[in-house]
Amino acid sequence: MSQRILMIGYGAMGREVHRLLPDGVTLDWLVLPEAAQSDTQAELGNTTRVLTAIDQCSGQPDLVVECAGHPGLAQHGEAVLQRGWTLAVVSVGALTDNALYQRLVDAARTGGGRLHILSGAVAGMDGLASAREGGLTAVTYEARKAPRSWKGSPAEDLIDLATVTEPTVFFEGSAGEAARRFPANANVAATVALSGLGMEKTQVKLWVDPHTERNSHRIHAVGRFGEFRVELNGRPLDNNPKTSMLAALSVVRACRQLLDPVVI
């Protein structure tokens, strides 16, 4: 029996997720702004119903996946959770807004839904969350990306991306501040924080590196369990340099888990 998903957003990430959906999982509903509804419906044909609000979905999705960015999660997240559905979130940086986070938690509790925070563009979150159970002393996260990946972000006000010639740190601070100031680039900071010490106790350093075409993430955790370091050098999506390919694949994995009898 096919597993049916509802997707919020259909930009570069959403399209990549749709392309890679495993056999046995279908995109039955898509929620988009009204301005994009008719064109996208014509593009997708009758296989997917394009909606503008969650309450227009008359069926029962097996999973709702958010690929819409922070505004999409803020607009539609509560309605999903109030219906008792599971919402897989990749725009984790939006949860640095404490009011939004609390609204989503309250909606999940009252409606019986579940907020599933995806690992996104980074690895090792299972180990970090496990280490937290025994007590963490320190967690640091560093992101290193090419200048083009920081264009259109507040990094342009902190450093000249067109002339930088050496790897340069342009931000140091808490995960909460990083995710709030760089929402399109720092979802990982929020993911690391929620898995570990929280937004204000997780330290973040952001780099621009003109010598790389990869998105590099480094995590260092110390605690009662011992110590670990994770380094990942990921490729961005071809049509959106601010988005990691691995982030899109984390959504695909969540969809595949609907089919698998064994979940890792």
Side-chain angles (χ1 to χ4, degrees), residues 20 34 38 44 76 87 90 113 137 151 158-159 180 228 259:
L20 295 174
E34 187 173 354
S38 59
L44 295 176
H76 301 293
L87 174 61
V90 74
T137 304
K151 286 184 178 179
L158 302 174
I159 190 168
R180 287 188 293 269
F228 75 70
L259 305 169

Side-chain angles (χ1 to χ4, degrees), residues 44-254:
L44 295 176
N46 296 325
T47 58
T48 301
R49 185 181 176 193
V50 182
L51 316 172
T52 59
I54 297 298
D55 62 11
Q56 295 172 359
C57 178
S58 58
Q60 178 74 34
D62 296 291
L63 179 68
V64 179
V65 295
E66 173 274 312
C67 298
H70 298 191
L73 177 60
Q75 183 177 357
H76 301 293
E78 288 176 86
V80 172
L81 297 167
Q82 285 168 352
R83 283 163 174 75
W85 299 343
T86 297
L87 174 61
V89 173
V90 74
S91 300
V92 184
L95 302 180
T96 60
D97 180 339
N98 289 331
L100 172 60
Y101 180 73
Q102 194 57 55
R103 289 201 306 271
L104 294 175
V105 170
D106 290 344
R109 284 176 174 160
T110 58
R114 175 159 293 192
L115 188 65
H116 181 190
I117 296 174
L118 302 179
S119 57
V122 74
M125 295 303 95
D126 53 347
L128 184 58
S130 297
R132 179 180 61 192
E133 298 296 330
L136 284 167
T137 304
V139 178
T140 59
Y141 162 66
E142 297 186 29
R144 184 182 298 241
K145 300 183 181 183
R148 71 188 184 108
S149 293
W150 294 113
K151 286 184 178 179
S153 79
E156 293 182 316
D157 299 326
L158 302 174
I159 190 168
D160 188 341
L161 298 175
T163 61
V164 64
T165 59
E166 297 295 332
T168 305
V169 175
F170 62 86
F171 172 85
E172 291 187 71
S174 71
E177 183 183 0
R180 287 188 293 269
R181 292 183 63 180
F182 304 91
N185 286 282
N187 281 319
V188 173
T191 303
V192 172
L194 288 173
S195 300
L197 282 176
M199 295 293 179
E200 302 312 316
K201 292 183 179 180
T202 302
Q203 296 303 302
V204 172
K205 187 180 292 186
L206 303 180
W207 297 71
V208 58
D209 186 348
H211 306 310
T212 186
E213 290 298 320
R214 302 287 183 90
N215 294 340
S216 298
H217 307 280
R218 296 177 180 175
I219 300 165
H220 180 208
V222 179
R224 183 168 173 268
F225 75 99
E227 179 179 6
F228 75 70
R229 299 176 188 269
V230 175
E231 180 172 351
L232 186 148
N233 298 303
R235 296 183 183 276
L237 288 176
D238 292 337
N239 50 359
N240 185 353
K242 293 183 177 65
T243 299
S244 166
M245 184 181 297
L246 189 60
L249 296 177
S250 74
V251 182
V252 177
R253 174 177 176 261

